[in-house]
Amino acid sequence: YSVTAEVSTAEPSDEGFAANLSFSYTDNPGKSFAAMGLSVGIGSCVVMDFLIRSELPEEVAAKAVSGLEKVIAEHFDAELQRLQNFHSWRVFVWENEVDQLPVLRLAVMLKPETSIDFVLKQLGVALRFHEMLVDLNCELHFSHSLTEMLESKKFTLDEKFGSGLSASIVVARKILVRLAEELQYCVEEKAAGANVEFEERKESYGWAHARTKDALEGKFKGAASADIQEMTITGYKEEPRTETDAQFAAKEASAAGWRRFVWRSVNLLRGGKASTMELSFRSVGELLFQSALARSLLPSWVTPDIVEQPGALATIWKRMTESITKHVNEHWATILAFEDIEQHARDDEERRRLEREAKMSNKERKRLAFLEEKRQLAEKLRKLGIETTDDLEEEEDLTQKPAEYARHLKEKQMGSERLLLETYEATWDAVCALHSVQVVSGGNKVLLALQGCDIFELLPQPMKSPPPPRYQQA
């Protein structure tokens, strides 16, 4: 079954922003993963490639990689570890397999059992994914680049912008029809079985309740109905009501509508071999605002002025970049103010420590030096993954000192914010655009290739990071 669709506005062109979505298959997934620079023993992965700036020194790219690794380890690693069948993540510099351009690659990898072909085999489906999805190719083209659209004060969407979208999908019609039917039958049979069981238990409860109530009322004549403990033999308990009758009816109607849509789609797929759709619009304004359905889907800030006035997009983007710059500068001011206060406090503590040591005996100095060596040794052993005994882990419990603990948390927060801002600067210096996104499962690959997605050229250039305070350098 083949589906072909085309949507275009006036004068589409290949010179501006472009995106291409495609599907491919390889018989040797292990070799493909190795060519991508990924770990062995994985089944699926999601890969994002950022295009590295031309003639970039290696140390600049290495700084960006190091910063991203620290940010992911601090803010995302714990959440990634909770993912089922998670394997590992990696940030590194590589050459893109398609065009051999240098890219900064971010990869999240899953275990072998996540391969879609392996999942289909476990479900008893004697087919591979590429036998069901034979071909997928979608292309989107803009007449202008993102930089020109968002920065030019003379650019008008209605007058100058042109775009084209074409899509082609080829699937194994008979196989998908059979699978869709079986899946839908399973869902409906499960729902019907649950409803039958519910009604049977409810009816049985009603009979037992009536018999029990009549017997108790006959035995305890004159007792209030509320004082008689009702007994049943079914164990049925009616679910607490969390929805009104109208809400429940709307939910049922929505489910019934979804089932009708699925069956209509299955019948369409069963009865046809090809579908073609072509839409053409004279301008962006006609595409967005002529149809009441399209207007209802737009956010409130999308108005006809955006497509009719010259430089409307540039004005909106300028306000956004100014807001980003303002927030970055405010964060730097907060960080530097805290670090200045913290440095003065540590200088005072160091001065008082030297004064105390000057009054100590040689024996006391040796004891403190020994304790410090023990602490440093325990820290080195922990970094090597070696467990240490309690006598080496004599760390101060700051939770028992609210003021010191609050100061420790504030220092950790400021350090995290500094790391984020420094990573933003390093990444902006190293990469210029989002180059591609790949989703790979076994031998199946879906690739989104982008051209002209210069997001880092559009973002404001970050300020030069101030040097860290002396206590962090130490």
Side-chain angles (χ1 to χ4, degrees):
Y1 184 81
S2 174
V3 180
T4 304
E6 291 188 6
V7 182
S8 64
T9 59
E11 300 178 359
S13 172
D14 298 341
E15 298 179 358
F17 170 79
N20 180 271
L21 182 67
S22 60
F23 171 78
S24 61
Y25 174 78
T26 178
D27 292 327
N28 193 339
K31 184 177 180 181
S32 176
F33 287 135
M36 297 170 68
L38 304 180
S39 303
V40 296
I42 64 173
S44 302
C45 66
V46 179
V47 176
M48 297 180 66
D49 286 349
F50 296 90
L51 189 62
I52 292 180
R53 298 181 186 273
S54 60
E55 300 180 359
L56 185 76
E58 292 184 2
E59 57 270 16
V60 178
K63 184 179 179 181
V65 169
S66 175
L68 287 171
E69 288 178 340
K70 292 177 182 178
V71 169
I72 295 174
E74 181 174 344
H75 296 281
F76 300 101
D77 184 68
E79 299 301 324
L80 290 173
Q81 296 292 342
R82 293 192 182 99
L83 293 178
Q84 188 176 11
N85 296 320
F86 173 75
H87 183 275
S88 60
W89 58 267
R90 189 182 175 196
V91 182
F92 57 102
V93 176
W94 198 252
E95 283 190 358
N96 187 269
E97 301 79 32
V98 179
D99 48 24
Q100 283 71 51
L101 292 175
V103 294
L104 190 152
R105 174 161 291 180
L106 169 61
V108 177
M109 294 160 279
L110 304 177
K111 294 179 180 178
E113 51 266 33
T114 59
S115 170
I116 189 169
D117 292 332
F118 177 79
V119 173
L120 290 174
K121 185 177 179 180
Q122 293 295 106
L123 294 174
V125 180
L127 293 170
R128 294 189 176 184
F129 185 75
H130 74 280
E131 295 174 343
M132 294 183 286
L133 179 60
V134 180
D135 183 53
L136 169 65
N137 188 27
C138 300
E139 295 184 1
L140 173 66
H141 297 281
F142 288 175
S143 59
H144 296 72
S145 65
L146 295 181
T147 304
E148 184 177 359
M149 288 189 292
L150 296 178
E151 293 185 350
S152 174
K153 296 182 179 179
K154 298 181 180 180
F155 178 77
T156 307
L157 274 174
D158 251 1
E159 296 179 0
K160 300 181 179 181
F161 180 75
S163 65
L165 169 65
S166 62
S168 176
I169 305 174
V170 181
V171 297
R173 177 172 59 90
K174 294 182 180 180
I175 295 174
L176 286 185
V177 166
R178 186 61 178 168
L179 286 175
E181 286 180 343
E182 291 298 327
L183 290 175
Q184 190 62 20
Y185 280 137
C186 288
V187 172
E188 294 190 359
E189 289 171 0
K190 184 177 180 180
N195 289 334
V196 170
E197 182 182 359
F198 175 79
E199 293 298 332
E200 289 178 349
R201 292 183 63 199
K202 186 176 181 180
E203 185 179 6
S204 177
Y205 169 80
W207 294 340
H209 179 272
R211 292 196 305 270
T212 306
K213 185 175 182 180
D214 292 341
L216 290 176
E217 286 180 347
K219 184 176 182 179
F220 300 100
K221 291 182 179 180
S225 298
D227 295 333
I228 298 176
Q229 182 180 8
E230 298 178 355
M231 301 168 57
T232 68
I233 61 172
T234 62
Y236 167 81
K237 291 184 179 180
E238 187 175 1
E239 296 292 334
R241 295 294 299 270
T242 59
E243 297 176 336
T244 63
D245 291 339
Q247 290 174 328
F248 184 77
K251 184 178 178 180
E252 290 294 319
S254 175
W258 172 250
R259 289 194 296 270
R260 287 194 298 270
F261 170 76
V262 171
W263 283 118
R264 286 172 182 171
S265 300
V266 170
N267 292 330
L268 174 64
L269 194 60
R270 181 191 295 113
K273 291 186 177 181
S275 297
T276 302
M277 179 178 64
E278 184 174 351
L279 299 175
S280 181
F281 300 91
R282 291 187 297 269
S283 64
V284 178
E286 180 181 349
L287 170 64
L288 297 179
F289 302 106
Q290 188 176 27
S291 168
L293 175 61
R295 289 199 304 271
S296 66
L297 299 175
L298 297 175
S300 58
W301 56 270
V302 178
T303 62
D305 292 340
I306 291 180
V307 299
E308 295 172 357
Q309 292 184 357
L313 291 178
T315 302
I316 295 174
W317 185 250
K318 182 180 179 181
R319 288 200 298 265
M320 293 180 63
T321 55
E322 289 176 349
S323 176
I324 293 173
T325 303
K326 178 183 177 182
H327 280 82
V328 169
N329 292 337
E330 289 176 352
H331 277 282
W332 269 123
T334 303
I335 293 170
L336 294 177
F338 171 81
E339 290 177 347
D340 185 60
I341 295 173
E342 182 68 16
Q343 187 62 58
H344 281 84
R346 292 186 179 233
D347 290 343
D348 290 341
E349 291 176 358
E350 180 66 15
R351 178 179 52 79
R352 289 193 294 269
R353 185 186 67 82
L354 293 175
E355 291 178 353
R356 288 195 303 270
E357 288 185 355
K359 300 176 181 179
M360 289 180 183
S361 63
N362 291 333
K363 183 178 180 180
E364 183 67 16
R365 290 195 188 96
K366 291 180 180 179
R367 188 184 71 83
L368 293 177
F370 175 71
L371 292 176
E372 179 62 20
E373 289 177 0
K374 282 178 59 179
R375 187 192 65 79
Q376 293 179 1
L377 175 60
E379 184 67 24
K380 291 179 180 179
L381 292 175
R382 279 195 296 269
K383 289 181 178 179
L384 294 174
I386 302 174
E387 295 184 1
T388 57
T389 57
D390 294 337
D391 61 333
L392 290 177
E393 297 180 347
E394 297 179 357
E395 293 186 357
E396 187 178 13
D397 186 7
L398 294 179
T399 57
Q400 303 301 321
K401 300 180 179 180
E404 292 295 328
Y405 189 55
R407 175 182 168 186
H408 168 72
L409 293 179
K410 186 67 174 179
E411 180 185 351
K412 188 176 180 180
Q413 177 190 351
M414 292 297 103
S416 179
E417 291 190 15
R418 171 180 271 274
L419 175 61
L420 286 172
L421 294 177
E422 289 176 343
T423 303
Y424 171 44
E425 178 198 358
T427 307
W428 194 95
D429 291 339
V431 301
C432 59
L434 177 60
H435 187 61
S436 65
V437 179
Q438 302 179 60
V439 179
V440 185
S441 183
N444 307 278
K445 178 190 292 187
V446 176
L447 169 64
L448 175 62
L450 302 170
Q451 174 185 328
C453 189
D454 303 328
I455 54 176
F456 288 92
E457 295 294 332
L458 294 169
L459 292 173
Q461 182 176 1
M463 62 176 287
K464 188 69 176 176
S465 299
R470 294 195 309 275
Y471 69 86
Q472 287 186 1
Q473 295 175 2

